[in-house]
């Protein structure tokens, strides 16, 4: 989870350095940077996506799911547009992970569609797009089989 105080104080270089230090410490593993979108303005979300994209991190994640508001389609649109613009400028693709409050098949389809429309079908791989939701897997299984299952 990013240091929101540093971001709000305009200490973007320190945020970037911290992300890169964490990535170096977990070399060889996937690093998802959580930006806790509900606590950021639209401009701060864009700045944060730019910082994470410049870093060595692999994914930008919408939220921990612990705050009052978790992933929102509006935040996903802002984030995906920032990710796309960075990729167009630099050629570097950072992944997007929507998390928190995504619990229905309809929610999953909505985030899938946002990514597909803004970032394109090339992002629809596990290397670049993920959905994190503890209850989504069970709800998807229930929708597929048409009955309540307690597998997950």
């Amino acid at each position: 989870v990013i240091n929101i105080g540093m971001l709000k104080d305009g200490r973007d270089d320190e945020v970037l350095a911290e992300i890169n230090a964490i990535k170096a410490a977990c070399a060889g593993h996937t690093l998802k940077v959580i930006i806790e979108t509900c606590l950021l303005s639209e401009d701060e979300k864009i700045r944060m996506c730019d910082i994470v994209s410049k870093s060595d991190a692999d994914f930008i994640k919408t939220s921990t799911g612990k705050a009052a508001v978790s992933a929102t389609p509006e935040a996903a649109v802002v984030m995906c547009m920032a990710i796309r613009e960075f990729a167009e400028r630099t050629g570097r693709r950072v992944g997007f992970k929507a998390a928190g409050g995504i619990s229905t098949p309809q929610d999953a389809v909505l985030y899938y569609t946002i990514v597909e429309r803004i970032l394109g079908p090339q992002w629809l791989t596990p290397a670049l797009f993920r959905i994190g939701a503890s209850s989504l897997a069970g709800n998807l299984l229930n929708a597929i089989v048409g009955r309540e299952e307690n597998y997950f």
Side-chain angles (χ1 to χ4, degrees), residues 35-41 45 61-63 70-72 75 79:
I35 68 171
E36 207 66 90
T37 57
C38 70
L39 302 176
L40 303 177
S41 69
K45 288 175 192 141
K61 184 176 171 183
T62 58
S63 65
S70 295
T72 66
M79 292 173 69

Side-chain angles (χ1 to χ4, degrees), residues 65-141:
K66 308 286 186 221
V69 177
S70 295
T72 66
E74 295 80 10
V77 167
V78 169
M79 292 173 69
C80 287
M81 289 174 67
I83 291 167
R84 181 187 68 204
E85 289 170 15
F86 186 85
E88 288 171 350
R89 279 194 328 265
T90 68
R92 172 165 154 62
R93 292 181 184 171
V94 66
F96 172 73
K97 182 171 182 178
I102 303 167
S103 60
T104 68
Q106 294 82 1
D107 291 337
V109 169
L110 174 60
Y111 286 95
Y112 178 96
T113 302
I114 290 168
V115 170
E116 180 182 43
R117 297 259 170 95
I118 296 173
L119 295 171
Q122 66 273 24
W123 249 269
L124 298 175
T125 69
L128 291 172
F129 174 55
R130 297 183 184 175
I131 296 175
S134 56
S135 59
L136 178 60
N139 290 338
L140 284 170
L141 178 61

Side-chain angles (χ1 to χ4, degrees), residues 2-12 15 19 33-53 60-62 75 78-79 82:
I2 61 137
N3 184 319
I4 292 172
M6 281 195 302
L7 179 75
K8 289 193 175 282
D9 288 344
R11 296 163 39 204
D12 297 8
V15 175
I19 294 167
V33 177
I34 306 169
I35 68 171
E36 207 66 90
T37 57
C38 70
L39 302 176
L40 303 177
S41 69
E42 188 167 314
D43 287 342
E44 289 169 334
K45 288 175 192 141
I46 293 167
R47 268 184 38 229
M48 197 61 237
C49 288
D50 199 50
I51 292 167
V52 176
S53 294
I60 302 172
K61 184 176 171 183
T62 58
V78 169
M79 292 173 69

